């Protein structure tokens, strides 16, 4: 009997859903194909890039293909705004302007499109960022799944903040601004009719004002990351890898809502790999941890902020461990591929 590997062994086979999941397959696709073709030098891949010659300006782009278009707590329109605003915020920037591009499948009801655009406009207004340009394309039936949205954002960094995925240091405290797993489980439950969406809602929301509250801490703020695709596990592994440190978190300290835990138990998922759209991870100097928590808790979006772990050692090559409820330790691996497709 021949056993087939479920993942591709060669880059010239086919693209899988897992290549877009933010895990190891995504990294392989970028490192082996995308980045070399673009002439991008190896190095940390941040949520947003500093503009050449203008390091005070930050730019990020993202595409949203979430299915279904509407879900408890949000929709593809508000999600598109929040996702790009948050990527800018993770580099310490406030949003200045957005572009919005639409790819619409022929046959989409105008009432649905209007609802999405109304929500997108409201989200942009509430975030205080204007939409200044965009594009609209319509493709034939079956050439897309109803509606895809691309947003690009430009932001301005706060002069006191310069967070980077490569800046974690030994002894840093690892903070989390709120519960994990809400977005991914809500979208999946709505799509598949599992019934959990009656108890939970997506956490999608902008985080730039939360980041601004950390500005008084200045250089004590080393890393900011929003754990979207691949969840908390992917975010911590990326930081540990890019900073060459070992990170340990406490299972008892990670806030997992009961409904999320129940959904994950039923579906055989680890809450650590479920996507989030309204919380962030912060690595800060241990001496500033309590002040940072106070800052985060001063706003509704950070009211449930907690300390979940610490950086143990530098030069450990990117190891992340979880101290379990019984005191044992287990490795938290980078997710391989897609467990929850089409959640952003």
């Amino acid at each position: 009997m021949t056993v087939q590997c479920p993942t591709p062994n060669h880059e010239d086979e086919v693209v899988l859903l897992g290549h877009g999941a933010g895990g190891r397959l995504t990294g392989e696709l970028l490192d082996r194909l995308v980045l070399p073709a673009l002439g991008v030098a190896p190095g940390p891949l941040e949520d947003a890039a500093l503009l050449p010659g203008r390091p005070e300006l930050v730019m990020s782009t993202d595409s949203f293909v979430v299915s279904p278009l509407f879900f408890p707590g949000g929709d593809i329109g508000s999600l598109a705004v929040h996702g790009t605003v948050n990527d800018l915020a993770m580099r310490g920037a406030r949003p200045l302007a957005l572009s919005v591009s639409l790819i619409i499948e022929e046959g989409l009801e105008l009432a649905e499109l209007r609802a999405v655009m109304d929500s997108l406009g409201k989200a942009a207004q509430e975030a205080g960022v204007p939409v200044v340009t965009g594009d609209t394309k319509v493709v034939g039936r079956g050439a897309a799944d109803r509606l895809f949205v691309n947003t690009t954002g430009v932001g301005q960094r706060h002069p006191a903040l310069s967070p980077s995925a490569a800046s974690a240091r030994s002894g840093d405290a690892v903070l989390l601004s709120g519960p994990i797993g809400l977005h991914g489980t809500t979208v999946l439950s709505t799509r598949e009719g599992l019934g959990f969406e009656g108890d939970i809602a997506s956490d999608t929301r902008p985080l730039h004002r939360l980041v601004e509250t950390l500005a008084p801490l200045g250089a004590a703020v080393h890393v900011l990351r929003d754990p979207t695709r691949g969840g908390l596990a992917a975010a911590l592994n990326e930081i540990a890898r890019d900073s060459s440190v070992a990170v340990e978190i406490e299972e008892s300290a990670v806030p997992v809502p009961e409904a999320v835990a129940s959904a994950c138990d039923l579906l055989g998922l680890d809450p650590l790999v479920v996507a989030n759209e309204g919380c962030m991870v912060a690595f800060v100097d241990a001496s500033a941890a309590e002040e940072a928590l106070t800052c985060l808790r001063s706003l509704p979006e950070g009211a449930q902020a907690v300390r979940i772990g610490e950086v143990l050692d530098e030069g450990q090559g990117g190891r992340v461990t979880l101290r379990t409820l019984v005191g044992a330790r287990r490795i938290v691996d980078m997710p391989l591929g897609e467990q929850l497709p089409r959640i952003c």
Side-chain angles (χ1 to χ4, degrees):
M1 180 179 66
T2 301
V3 178
Q4 295 287 337
C5 178
T7 59
N9 293 317
H10 305 286
E11 62 179 75
D12 60 351
E13 291 186 348
V14 294
V15 174
L16 303 177
L17 273 176
H19 283 112
R24 276 186 283 164
L25 288 179
T26 300
E28 291 176 6
L29 183 68
L30 293 175
D31 292 340
R32 297 178 182 178
L33 193 156
V34 177
L35 299 181
L38 300 177
V40 177
L45 296 179
E46 306 282 1
D47 285 324
L50 310 185
L51 292 186
R54 298 289 302 276
E56 76 279 10
L57 295 180
V58 176
M59 183 176 180
S60 182
T61 191
D62 209 342
S63 297
F64 297 85
V65 299
V66 64
S67 176
L69 299 182
F70 301 89
F71 45 85
D75 56 78
I76 194 171
S78 59
L79 181 65
V81 172
H82 298 159
T84 297
V85 165
N86 292 347
D87 282 347
L88 296 173
M90 296 307 105
R91 298 306 305 275
R94 63 179 179 87
L96 296 177
L98 291 178
S99 75
V100 174
S101 293
L102 308 175
I103 298 176
I104 308 168
E105 182 188 17
E106 180 187 17
L108 179 69
E109 293 184 4
L110 287 178
E112 284 194 287
L113 180 60
R114 182 177 292 110
V116 169
M117 297 312 298
D118 286 347
S119 177
L120 191 154
K122 180 181 178 182
Q125 185 176 28
E126 291 177 347
V129 55
V131 176
V132 297
T133 189
D135 184 47
T136 302
K137 295 290 190 298
V138 177
V139 298
R141 294 176 186 267
D145 187 1
R146 304 178 72 199
L147 177 66
F148 298 155
V149 181
N150 173 272
T151 47
T152 296
V154 176
Q156 184 167 25
R157 296 173 70 194
H158 193 289
L161 296 174
S162 56
S164 168
S167 295
R169 305 172 188 173
S170 180
D172 276 358
V174 181
L175 312 181
L176 185 64
S177 68
I180 65 169
L182 288 165
H183 177 73
T185 51
T186 298
V187 171
L188 181 65
S189 181
T190 304
R191 181 194 306 159
E192 304 299 335
L194 302 179
F196 291 103
E197 70 272 19
D199 301 316
I200 54 178
S202 170
D203 61 343
T204 178
R205 56 189 165 188
L207 298 173
H208 60 297
R209 297 184 181 96
L210 196 62
V211 171
E212 288 175 3
T213 68
L214 297 176
L217 302 182
V221 180
H222 300 154
V223 184
L224 298 174
R225 200 77 161 193
D226 57 336
T228 53
R229 293 181 304 169
L232 184 61
L236 293 178
N237 271 279
E238 289 167 351
I239 295 166
R241 176 198 64 205
D242 292 341
S243 297
S244 296
V245 297
V247 177
E248 182 166 283
I249 59 174
E250 296 282 343
E251 183 178 18
S252 61
V254 178
V256 180
E258 184 176 348
V260 171
S262 297
C264 289
D265 284 344
L266 176 67
L267 299 169
L269 299 173
D270 183 346
L272 295 179
V273 306
V274 177
N276 314 274
E277 291 290 348
C279 70
M280 71 176 184
V281 179
F283 284 53
V284 303
D285 191 278
S287 63
E290 288 305 315
E291 186 177 357
L293 286 172
T294 299
C295 293
L296 295 175
R297 292 166 181 165
S298 68
L299 293 180
E301 53 265 46
Q304 299 181 67
V306 291
R307 180 171 179 166
I308 63 169
E310 61 182 334
V311 177
L312 300 180
D313 299 294
E314 296 180 5
Q316 293 298 308
R319 178 167 50 88
V320 179
T321 56
L322 175 77
R323 193 169 183 86
T324 68
L325 296 175
V326 297
R329 287 184 174 88
R330 72 170 176 90
I331 299 294
V332 178
D333 286 322
M334 172 69 82
L336 174 64
E338 190 80 272
Q339 291 187 303
L340 303 177
R342 305 283 303 280
I343 46 78
C344 65

